[in-house]
Amino acid sequence: MDEFTNLLVEQHNNASIKAKLANLLTLVRKHLDMDVAFISEFINDERVFKVVDNPSENQIVKVGNADPINETYCQQITDNKLSPIITNTKANPITKAMPVTKKLGIGAYIGVPINLSNGKLYGTFCCYKSHHDESLNERDLSFLNIISEIATGLIEKSLD
């Protein structure tokens, strides 16, 4: 087993849920060749970064930072106003007009909602890179959805 699988599968390890979520983010970020990956929670009218994997130079995306939810891709995706896959943010009429695109330096983006088993929308599982990426596709979205399901289970354990 590789280190990620071992950390997630082992029931008797000492890894915290946050550490497991961080490892999932790293796995997704590396697999999709992204710069940043994060899990956000929607709290009141804000998108709050809860777990972050961000080795990039732009350190705006870090745990605890927040933005008005209506200014985020996260909200647009959960409202079905924006595709979960954006291969080129400069070519997309919605994202090219959003200030967050320039603020975070987003060129390509993929994200999915995190829906808890009780039906509540928790937030999103997302990642992005600074340049466009025409190779992002439905297979990548399926991969992200599967990993997001694992993350959702861990999040629900932390809420108990």
Side-chain angles (χ1 to χ4, degrees):
M1 271 193 257
D2 65 27
E3 66 181 284
F4 294 112
T5 306
N6 197 27
L7 189 59
L8 292 169
V9 174
E10 286 294 318
Q11 296 299 315
H12 303 294
N13 65 24
N14 293 323
S16 71
I17 288 175
K18 285 236 189 246
K20 290 178 182 181
L21 290 170
N23 282 328
L24 284 175
L25 287 173
T26 301
L27 173 75
V28 168
R29 183 183 59 75
K30 288 180 177 180
H31 179 74
L32 297 178
D33 190 29
M34 294 290 186
D35 298 335
V36 176
F38 63 87
I39 292 172
S40 71
E41 182 178 6
F42 296 169
I43 301 173
N44 300 319
D45 293 332
E46 292 187 316
R47 185 237 15 241
V48 180
F49 297 117
K50 298 300 275 188
V51 187
V52 173
D53 180 33
N54 182 6
S56 78
E57 291 181 18
N58 186 336
Q59 290 297 304
I60 294 171
V61 180
K62 63 182 182 181
V63 173
N65 280 6
D67 290 297
I69 199 165
N70 61 347
E71 297 175 9
T72 68
Y73 289 20
C74 300
Q75 182 69 54
Q76 298 289 323
I77 289 170
T78 59
D79 288 346
N80 293 315
K81 293 179 181 172
L82 194 59
S83 167
I85 303 170
I86 303 152
T87 59
N88 186 343
T89 59
K90 291 183 176 124
N92 183 295
I94 295 172
T95 57
K96 75 177 181 181
M98 293 177 72
V100 71
T101 302
K102 186 174 182 180
K103 177 181 173 183
L104 299 182
I106 303 171
Y109 186 95
I110 185 167
V112 295
I114 296 173
N115 292 298
L116 303 178
S117 59
N118 65 9
K120 180 181 184 267
L121 175 63
Y122 174 84
T124 55
F125 191 122
C126 307
C127 51
Y128 68 87
K129 63 172 60 171
S130 61
H131 56 280
H132 69 87
D133 183 351
E134 301 299 329
S135 74
L136 289 173
N137 58 38
E138 290 297 318
R139 190 172 190 180
D140 297 324
L141 183 60
S142 293
F143 172 74
L144 185 60
N145 274 312
I146 289 167
I147 300 300
S148 179
E149 285 179 31
I150 296 168
T152 301
L154 291 169
I155 290 166
E156 288 187 326
K157 281 185 181 184
S158 75
L159 297 175
D160 288 342

